[in-house]
Amino acid sequence: QVQLVESGGGSVQAGGSLRLSCAAFGYKYSTYCMGWFRQAPGKEREGVATIDSDGITTYADSVKGRFTISQDNAKNTLYLQMNSLKPDDTAMYYCAEGICPSQMLWWGQGTQVTVSS
């Protein structure tokens, strides 16, 4: 069993930055992928960024060049550095672990990011 706990969300003005963290507790599946997803009100959940066990990353087109996903294996923590934030980035952000991108097995409770213009 894996438990994921996100933190770092908040309210910022457009152009600002936030760093999300996701602490993982429980068994670490070394072959699994981890990722960040987000869901805005009235919209479907979408993938933001993923990182696999080899450190290979993928990003949604909408965040390329602005967001960076990384992980600290020693701390069992996943990060999402978000720069140049836009109002369209406003959403609940979730971290997840599993088989990227569509078979994620464990999800965190989410952390809210709100970007004002």
Side-chain angles (χ1 to χ4, degrees):
Q1 187 68 22
V2 174
Q3 183 182 12
L4 303 174
V5 181
E6 301 100 333
S7 61
S11 297
V12 296
Q13 290 190 330
S17 298
L18 284 173
R19 188 175 83 153
L20 306 184
S21 298
C22 172
F25 302 92
Y27 186 80
K28 176 61 178 176
Y29 294 86
S30 60
T31 58
Y32 279 175
C33 172
M34 296 195 74
W36 289 97
F37 298 76
R38 66 187 182 186
Q39 187 167 21
K43 295 186 178 180
E44 293 187 355
R45 184 171 61 199
E46 63 174 348
V48 175
T50 65
I51 184 167
D52 70 12
S53 56
D54 293 323
I56 297 173
T57 59
T58 67
Y59 295 93
D61 288 343
S62 59
V63 307
K64 281 181 181 177
R66 300 187 298 121
F67 290 11
T68 303
I69 188 172
S70 63
Q71 60 186 4
D72 185 333
N73 290 326
K75 296 182 178 180
N76 285 339
T77 302
L78 180 72
Y79 302 100
L80 185 68
Q81 178 67 43
M82 305 186 295
N83 299 327
S84 301
L85 282 161
K86 304 175 181 180
D88 284 348
D89 296 319
T90 295
M92 184 72 77
Y93 283 71
Y94 300 90
C95 72
E97 181 175 351
I99 303 171
C100 293
S102 59
Q103 297 182 51
M104 308 308 281
L105 302 177
W106 297 281
W107 294 84
Q109 82 289 350
T111 186
Q112 178 68 38
V113 172
T114 302
V115 184
S116 58
S117 57

